[in-house]
Amino acid sequence: MSGGSAGRVAPERPVMTRGMLLVLVALTASAPLSVDVYTPSLPAIEAQLGGGAAFAEGTVTACLLGIAVGQLVWGPLSDRIGRRPVVLWGAIGWTVASLLSAVSVSGGMLLGARVLSGLCGAAGIVVARSIVRDVARSAHDISSTVGLLAMATAIAPIVAPVIGTGIALLWGWRADFVALTVAGAAMIAGVLLLVPETIAQRYPSPINPVPALRDRQVRAAALSIGVFSLGFYAYVSSASFIVERQYGLPSGMFALAFGTNAAAMLASNAVFRRISRTRHPSFALRLGLAIAACGGAGMAVFSAVGMPRWTVWIASTAFTAGAGLVMPSAHSWAQLTPVAAGAASAATGALQFVGGVLGSPVTGLVGVSAAALGILIVVGAVLGLGAASARHAPR
């Protein structure tokens, strides 16, 4: 056989190794971790850099916005030029932003560094899911691995304040960002050593994520996780106030409550991975939204009628168990569509963090209480069910 493409051997698809998966988990968790790791130190940051409490809290919102907007750019860009350069430059930018945050001498400098951190950290989130789709051998492999990455995104904001508190107590708030810088350097090395280029076919289309939302299934998955995230991120931002101020419990009880809820999310994620062997992710998505709605309703009712505190705790655990199904199933559903992996990942990821940006302010407007949080959770979950149960959704 001579000449032409007939004599060429197609390159083998890269294999997902344990080391590669570990790097992808770290990349996925890095941006959400950096959003909340320094929130316990906001009063100290305000005292040292000035700007007021609203400005200090605004750095968190700025980072979340950066993550949302960044995914809309990085995802389609990775479809066009490849996964490896996008995720590498994103990791480098995130590491530089963490270092700039550590050495900030003014509120404006910190704000700019946090925006850069969100924008660059978004690359790891959105491209990691695309890499999974590139190398996966089956739909179950996609769902199972994307589900694992989705849990990294969801668990990171829960454990970050605990980690940040410990570091700041020992070395001050700047040490939180120094730790992130060191972690970023390790991620860069991990990408260089363990993450090859995985995309088999590039898409020479404009870098525009909007066409992905024209696909009905991507739109259903993205809208579902977007509205659900209103309640989820409101929970992340207000749970400590509810536990410590509304119920007057010590911070140790808050850590215990968060730990219980994190365990529930991990358990339901394992359930999702089992369900995905035989059912489409949209089934687990609807199931998770229904469980979350019941949990939110329990929080609202139990709090309003003065039930014992442990009943509200159980309801919040049910809610987070539902979240452990919602997060992975929405992202997995988008990756099982014909839409380019990067664009599909950008659509679900961006709307998830847009929900995060809006969740905290809405909680502030309606009041920080278990009843108000429960109502917001129910609204988000019911709206998500509406999007996920549309006629075009697989059954």
Side-chain angles (χ1 to χ4, degrees), residues 172-271:
W173 66 266
R174 295 182 187 274
D176 286 334
F177 295 114
V178 172
L180 294 178
T181 303
V182 173
M187 285 192 300
I188 293 169
V191 172
L192 289 172
L193 295 174
L194 300 172
V195 182
E197 180 55 68
T198 59
I199 191 170
Q201 177 186 355
R202 289 172 171 79
Y203 296 82
S205 56
I207 302 171
N208 180 6
V210 173
L213 290 173
R214 294 175 185 158
D215 181 275
R216 291 181 174 182
Q217 294 194 48
V218 171
R219 187 167 64 246
L223 289 175
S224 295
I225 195 170
V227 293
F228 172 79
S229 293
L230 286 169
F232 179 77
Y233 285 98
Y235 156 79
V236 170
S237 64
S238 64
S240 62
F241 295 97
I242 293 171
V243 171
E244 296 177 25
R245 294 185 182 178
Q246 179 178 348
Y247 291 111
L249 297 173
S251 57
M253 288 300 298
F254 164 66
L256 178 60
F258 249 36
T260 304
N261 291 350
M265 291 184 69
L266 290 173
S268 59
N269 180 258
V271 172

Side-chain angles (χ1 to χ4, degrees), residues 50-234:
F55 182 83
E57 293 170 2
T59 63
V60 176
T61 301
C63 193
L64 284 170
L65 277 172
I67 296 173
V69 173
Q71 290 185 78
L72 295 175
V73 176
W74 293 117
L77 182 63
S78 74
D79 291 331
R80 185 180 180 91
I81 70 172
R83 315 295 187 207
R84 184 176 161 88
V86 169
V87 78
L88 180 59
W89 283 109
I92 292 172
W94 183 84
T95 304
V96 170
S98 298
L99 179 60
L100 291 174
S101 299
V103 300
S104 292
V105 295
S106 67
M109 182 176 177
L110 180 62
L111 179 63
R114 303 319 298 148
V115 172
L116 179 64
S117 177
L119 288 170
C120 294
I125 299 174
V126 71
V127 177
R129 291 191 292 262
S130 304
I131 289 174
V132 169
R133 177 168 158 184
D134 292 342
V135 305
R137 262 57 180 181
S138 67
H140 171 64
D141 286 346
I142 293 175
S143 296
S144 179
T145 311
V146 168
L148 183 62
L149 299 182
M151 276 300 94
T153 305
I155 293 293
I158 295 177
V159 301
V162 178
I163 296 172
T165 298
I167 294 175
L169 284 175
L170 292 173
W171 299 291
W173 66 266
R174 295 182 187 274
D176 286 334
F177 295 114
V178 172
L180 294 178
T181 303
V182 173
M187 285 192 300
I188 293 169
V191 172
L192 289 172
L193 295 174
L194 300 172
V195 182
E197 180 55 68
T198 59
I199 191 170
Q201 177 186 355
R202 289 172 171 79
Y203 296 82
S205 56
I207 302 171
N208 180 6
V210 173
L213 290 173
R214 294 175 185 158
D215 181 275
R216 291 181 174 182
Q217 294 194 48
V218 171
R219 187 167 64 246
L223 289 175
S224 295
I225 195 170
V227 293
F228 172 79
S229 293
L230 286 169
F232 179 77
Y233 285 98

Side-chain angles (χ1 to χ4, degrees), residues 251-356:
S251 57
M253 288 300 298
F254 164 66
L256 178 60
F258 249 36
T260 304
N261 291 350
M265 291 184 69
L266 290 173
S268 59
N269 180 258
V271 172
F272 164 76
R273 298 174 75 183
R274 182 172 293 274
I275 291 175
S276 66
R277 295 176 183 175
T278 57
R279 301 296 296 267
H280 190 273
S282 60
F283 170 79
L285 176 60
R286 292 190 291 269
L287 177 62
L289 288 166
I291 293 173
C294 291
M299 291 173 64
V301 173
F302 297 159
S303 175
V305 301
M307 292 284 285
R309 292 173 295 196
W310 61 266
T311 61
V312 179
W313 186 353
I314 290 176
S316 71
T317 303
F319 159 66
T320 50
L325 292 174
V326 172
M327 300 290 190
S329 55
H331 292 300
S332 298
W333 185 1
Q335 289 303 319
L336 293 178
T337 65
V339 175
S345 182
T348 53
L351 285 185
Q352 176 182 343
F353 280 92
V354 167

